Amino acid sequence: MHRVGSAANNGNSNRPRKEKRLTYVLSDANDRKQHCAGLNCLAVLQSSASDGCNYLFTGSRDGTLKRWALGKDAATCSATFESHVDWVNDTVIAGGNTLVSCSSDTTLKTWNCLSDGTCTRTLRQHSDYVTCLAAAEKNTNWVASGGLGGEVFIWDIEAAVTPLSKSSDVMEDDCSIGINGSANPLTISSLRTVSSNNSINASTTQCHGYVPITAKGHKESVYALAMNDNGTLLVSGGTEKVLRVWDPRTGSKTMKLRGHIDNTRALLLDSTGRYCLSGSSDSMIRLWDLGQQRCVHSYAVHTDSVWALASTPTFGHVYSGGRDLSLYLTDLTTRESILLCKKEHPILQLALDDDSIWVATTDSSFHRWPAEGQNPQKVFQRGGSFLAGNLSFSRARVCLEGTAPAPVYKEPIFTIPGTPAIVQHEILNNRRDVLTKDTAGSVKLWDIIKGIVIEDYGQVSFDEKKEQLFEMVSIPSWFTLDARLGSFSVHLDTPQCFSAEMYSADLNITGKSEDDKVNLGRETLKGLLAHWMTKRRQRLGLQTPANGNALSRKDTTPRSLAHSRIEVDGNALNDSTVYPPFELSTVSPPSIITEGSQGGPWRKKITELDGIEDEKDFPWWVLDCVLNNQLPSRENTNQAPYRKSVTIGG
C-alpha cells in the first residue's frame, strides 16, 4: 500500500502553518463507468426476489466504488460511490442494504446499497490506513474494521449511522468522528475501550453519540478480519504471524493461534465459528479448529503469497488466489486441489456468485469465471487435480521441476473492462500540458486546465514523443500532480498555485486586451467551482448572469478580510467569468478533494456540489479567490507573465 500525506494541517507551534490544499482528479471521457486502477475488493448482493437483479459492488485503488447490475452474460454500472480520497481497500454489506467501505484515507463510510451513490456517514476512528472489514451475516448490525495502526474496532452500524438529535449539534466541532460530505458530524458520548487486561472501561465525555468497541492486542498492522454469522466471534491477522480471536460483543481476546511464518493476508470463518481458514504470505493455507485451538490441516497449493480466499456455502471447499496469479479450488477434506485459471495480474479478492466466481486483481478490469460453487466436484471430474502437500516448499519444488498443472479454464465467462491506469507522466515546459503513458502502452497528451485529453498518440515511444513536444520556455511551477489513483490528481497549494501568469492573447481569450495578464491558478479555481458558484447564488436567491458564472463583490467569505494575508489584484475586480480555456469537461467532470475548517478531507464531482459548502468545507484561500478575486501578496508568488514568443537559450 502506498503512503499518502495527510491533507490536514499537522501544525507545529514552532513552524509556519501550512495551508490546506485543493486537489482535483481528472478522468478520461471513456471511464465514467469504468475503474481506472486495480480492484481491491468485491461484494455480491443477492436479490431476495426470484426475478430480482443481483448486484456486484467493486472497490478500487481509484478511490471509488461502483455498483454493477448483473445479467447472465453482462454487467452494467448503475452507480458510482465517490467520497473516499484514497484507495478503497475493502467493502462489506451489512443489514441487507448498507454498504460499508474502508480506505487508506483512514475512514469508514456507509452507503445505501441501492442509492445513487450518496455517502450516508463517514466514521473517523482509525489513526492509519484501514485495510480490512468483516461483517456478521445474521447479526446484521455488526461490522469490524482493522488497519495499519494495529487497531481493531467493532461497530454497531445501525447506531453509528442514526442521525443525531439537535441537542448534540453544539458539540460537533470538538467531538466529530465522521461527516457525510459537509453534513452533520457524528459525535462522541460514552467512550468504551478495552484495556490491556481485556476489560471494558467507560469514560463519559461531554458529547452525545456513538463510539465503537476497541479490541486491543495487536502491536503491528492488521491485514485480515473474519466474523461468524451470529457476530459472536472475530478473528484478526496481520504482520505478527499470529491469529487473534475475539468476542466482538465486548472486545475481549479469547485465544491466540500460531502457525504461519509470515503475514496473514486472508481469513474466513464458517457460519458457526468452529473452523477458520487463513491465507498467508508464506504461501500456505491453514485450517484451524477454534474449539481445539489448533491448526488441523495445512495446504501447500500456491507458490507465492495467498491474498484471497472464498469458500463454498458448506465450507467444504476453498477458492484461493494471490501473488502467483493463480486461482485454485481445494477440497478441504480430501486435500485434492485443481488450478481453475491463470491470470496476468496478482489476485487481490474473490467473491463467489452461485456457480461462478468474481476475481479482482491489480488490473482495472475484472472477470467472472466458472466455479461450480453449488457442486465443486464437477470441476474435479475434468481431471488435472493434485494432492496439496503440507509444506510450502513442496509446491515450489513442483514449479521448479516444470510440472505445474494446466488450468481448467482458459477464458472467463465475461470481462468488465477498466480504463488503463496512468503509470508514467511528464509535465511539459508550458506548465499546462502533461504527457502520459498508461498500462496499455498508449501515450496521450492532457490539458490539465481543461481536464481533457487533447491528443492520443497510441503506442509510441514516450521518450521520443516527449522530445518532440519540448519547448524552450520558462513558466513557474504552479501545481504538482501524481497518478497513484490511476488517473491524475492535480494539487493546488497556496501561494504557489498563483505563481504563473499568461497574457490573454496567448490564451486566445477574446474580449480582453492582449496585454491583460491571466493568472492560471485563479482561473483554474474559477473553472472548477463554476457549478458551485451558480448553485450558491441560486440558494441565496441572487440573480445569475447569462453565463451562470459571474459573482458580485457582495459574496464575501466568513473569514475577516482584515485578517487575511491577501491583497486585491486590480485586474481581477469584478472579473469572474470563466474563460473558454478554463471551461472544464462536462462529459467527464473532475472531482475535487479538499477540506475546510471541519470534518476532514472529502471528495465530490464538481457537478455534484450543491452550493451549501462553505469555509467548513473549503480552504479559506480558495473562497477568497473565487468569491472575492483575492490573491496572496505578490512577494509570496513571484508572478511572471509568459508569452509564447519568449524563449530561453543561447
Side-chain angles (χ1 to χ4, degrees):
M1 288 186 178
H2 63 277
R3 288 258 171 204
V4 182
S6 173
N9 288 336
N10 298 320
N12 186 310
S13 59
N14 298 322
R15 296 181 181 179
R17 184 168 65 97
K18 183 178 175 64
E19 297 292 352
K20 295 169 183 176
R21 69 170 28 163
L22 183 141
T23 296
Y24 61 100
V25 182
L26 301 178
S27 56
D28 200 343
N30 298 323
D31 70 358
R32 293 185 66 190
K33 295 188 176 181
Q34 296 177 335
H35 285 297
C36 60
L39 270 67
N40 284 338
C41 50
L42 303 163
V44 176
L45 177 63
Q46 300 283 354
S47 172
S48 57
S50 58
D51 57 347
C53 178
N54 292 344
Y55 292 100
L56 174 70
F57 295 89
T58 55
S60 171
R61 295 179 178 184
D62 63 16
T64 70
L65 298 104
K66 293 184 184 295
R67 182 182 69 224
W68 307 85
L70 301 180
K72 183 178 180 180
D73 296 313
T76 304
C77 180
S78 56
T80 296
F81 300 79
E82 183 173 12
S83 183
H84 284 296
V85 302
D86 206 343
W87 289 11
V88 177
N89 294 323
D90 203 0
T91 188
V92 294
I93 297 171
N97 63 353
T98 299
L99 184 71
V100 184
S101 59
C102 68
S103 167
S104 295
D105 63 14
T106 75
T107 71
L108 281 74
K109 291 181 183 288
T110 62
W111 325 72
N112 184 316
C113 284
L114 302 181
S115 73
D116 59 358
T118 301
C119 176
T120 55
R121 183 68 73 186
T122 297
L123 305 174
R124 306 181 189 276
Q125 195 77 9
H126 284 269
S127 63
D128 209 330
Y129 294 4
V130 192
T131 56
C132 51
L133 299 171
E137 296 228 354
K138 292 182 180 177
N139 191 347
T140 56
N141 294 338
W142 288 105
V143 171
S145 61
L148 297 192
E151 302 151 324
V152 175
F153 296 113
I154 301 99
W155 305 81
D156 182 337
I157 291 298
E158 183 177 351
V161 302
T162 300
L164 301 180
S165 63
K166 290 293 183 180
S167 60
S168 65
D169 292 346
V170 293
M171 300 303 297
E172 286 176 356
D173 294 354
D174 297 329
C175 306
S176 171
I177 63 169
I179 63 167
N180 171 18
S182 60
N184 296 332
L186 185 63
T187 58
I188 296 175
S189 62
S190 177
L191 177 62
R192 298 204 295 170
T193 61
V194 184
S195 62
S196 57
N197 62 2
N198 298 325
S199 61
I200 303 295
N201 297 327
S203 59
T204 303
T205 72
Q206 297 177 352
C207 308
H208 304 278
Y210 173 83
V211 165
I213 295 172
T214 306
K216 288 187 176 180
H218 280 282
K219 299 178 179 65
E220 299 177 11
S221 300
V222 178
Y223 280 112
L225 293 171
M227 196 182 298
N228 68 332
D229 285 358
N230 291 326
T232 58
L233 207 62
L234 174 69
V235 182
S236 61
T239 57
E240 298 173 70
K241 308 178 184 67
V242 299
L243 305 185
R244 286 183 167 85
V245 184
W246 315 83
D247 183 342
R249 296 164 294 184
T250 63
S252 58
K253 185 170 59 180
T254 60
M255 69 183 81
K256 184 188 292 186
L257 303 172
R258 300 182 183 275
H260 286 296
I261 59 174
D262 209 333
N263 301 341
T264 304
R265 298 303 301 268
L267 290 169
L268 288 178
L269 272 174
D270 76 333
S271 59
T272 65
R274 172 70 184 273
Y275 294 103
C276 175
L277 278 168
S278 59
S280 169
S281 296
D282 62 13
S283 78
M284 297 295 294
I285 300 171
R286 291 183 179 271
L287 178 64
W288 308 81
D289 186 322
L290 301 186
Q292 300 180 31
Q293 299 189 24
R294 68 183 184 93
C295 176
V296 292
H297 289 292
S298 57
Y299 306 89
V301 175
H302 291 268
T303 58
D304 210 330
S305 300
V306 181
W307 288 348
L309 298 173
S311 72
T312 55
T314 61
F315 215 72
H317 297 76
V318 63
Y319 300 86
S320 58
R323 193 173 180 179
D324 61 2
L325 319 181
S326 302
L327 175 62
Y328 286 95
L329 171 63
T330 302
D331 188 318
L332 296 177
T333 302
T334 66
R335 307 182 64 86
E336 190 176 8
S337 188
I338 192 167
L339 176 63
L340 294 182
C341 64
K342 192 85 170 179
K343 303 287 294 178
E344 297 179 355
H345 306 276
I347 296 172
L348 299 179
Q349 201 167 82
L350 304 169
L352 200 61
D353 183 12
D354 293 329
D355 281 335
S356 62
I357 191 167
W358 292 97
V359 180
T361 72
T362 55
D363 187 42
S364 58
S365 301
F366 55 103
H367 312 273
R368 187 179 197 173
W369 290 85
E372 299 294 347
Q374 302 300 320
N375 187 7
Q377 288 301 324
K378 288 183 179 180
V379 181
F380 291 105
Q381 293 171 5
R382 293 170 172 263
S385 63
F386 60 92
L387 288 180
N390 54 15
L391 296 173
S392 59
F393 69 80
S394 61
R395 288 297 299 135
R397 183 177 61 194
V398 166
C399 186
L400 289 173
E401 292 173 353
T403 56
V408 174
Y409 304 111
K410 303 296 184 182
E411 298 292 336
I413 298 173
F414 67 86
T415 296
I416 299 178
T419 298
I422 295 172
V423 294
Q424 188 177 2
H425 65 269
E426 183 77 20
I427 302 173
L428 302 188
N429 284 4
N430 64 9
R431 302 296 178 187
R432 175 177 176 176
D433 297 339
V434 179
L435 191 68
T436 68
K437 183 177 182 179
D438 59 33
T439 53
S442 294
V443 176
K444 298 178 181 179
L445 185 65
W446 288 74
D447 181 340
I448 63 100
I449 290 177
K450 292 185 72 69
I452 59 173
V453 175
I454 53 179
E455 193 71 45
D456 186 346
Y457 301 107
Q459 296 181 345
V460 300
S461 169
F462 181 86
D463 292 332
E464 289 181 5
K465 183 56 64 175
K466 183 175 69 174
E467 290 180 8
Q468 293 174 13
L469 296 173
F470 177 77
E471 291 182 89
M472 292 290 288
V473 296
S474 179
I475 297 180
S477 179
W478 61 280
F479 65 89
T480 57
L481 59 80
D482 65 62
R484 64 174 173 263
L485 298 181
S487 56
F488 278 141
S489 295
V490 183
H491 308 297
L492 302 180
D493 294 282
T494 187
Q496 295 87 352
C497 69
F498 301 113
S499 62
E501 291 182 335
M502 292 180 66
Y503 289 101
S504 59
D506 295 323
L507 289 168
N508 298 318
I509 297 176
T510 59
K512 285 180 66 70
S513 170
E514 292 186 355
D515 291 328
D516 278 355
K517 293 180 292 185
V518 177
N519 188 288
L520 300 184
R522 180 179 62 206
E523 300 307 321
T524 298
L525 284 173
K526 286 161 55 181
L528 286 168
L529 297 181
H531 177 83
W532 172 80
M533 291 192 288
T534 300
K535 288 290 187 180
R536 183 174 185 273
R537 290 184 62 85
Q538 292 172 352
R539 183 176 59 84
L540 295 175
L542 300 176
Q543 184 177 358
T544 302
N547 66 359
N549 297 320
L551 283 175
S552 167
R553 286 282 295 165
K554 294 181 181 179
D555 286 337
T556 57
T557 66
R559 183 183 179 94
S560 171
L561 299 185
H563 294 90
S564 299
R565 297 186 297 274
I566 54 178
E567 68 174 22
V568 176
D569 183 339
N571 290 336
L573 289 178
N574 301 315
D575 186 6
S576 299
T577 302
V578 177
Y579 302 116
F582 300 91
E583 292 176 347
L584 289 150
S585 169
T586 56
V587 176
S588 185
S591 302
I592 283 179
I593 296 176
T594 191
E595 65 174 314
S597 60
Q598 298 178 18
W602 54 273
R603 172 176 173 171
K604 268 188 180 181
K605 289 284 188 188
I606 61 172
T607 52
E608 294 176 1
L609 298 172
D610 49 24
I612 66 172
E613 299 85 3
D614 54 22
E615 78 283 355
K616 296 189 297 295
D617 310 296
F618 287 115
W620 70 269
W621 60 269
V622 172
L623 298 180
D624 274 339
C625 173
V626 299
L627 295 181
N628 304 318
N629 287 314
Q630 306 265 353
L631 301 183
S633 58
R634 289 187 181 275
E635 59 265 25
N636 293 332
T637 58
N638 297 319
Q639 293 169 326
Y642 155 70
R643 283 193 183 278
K644 291 183 179 179
S645 57
V646 178
T647 59
I648 299 175

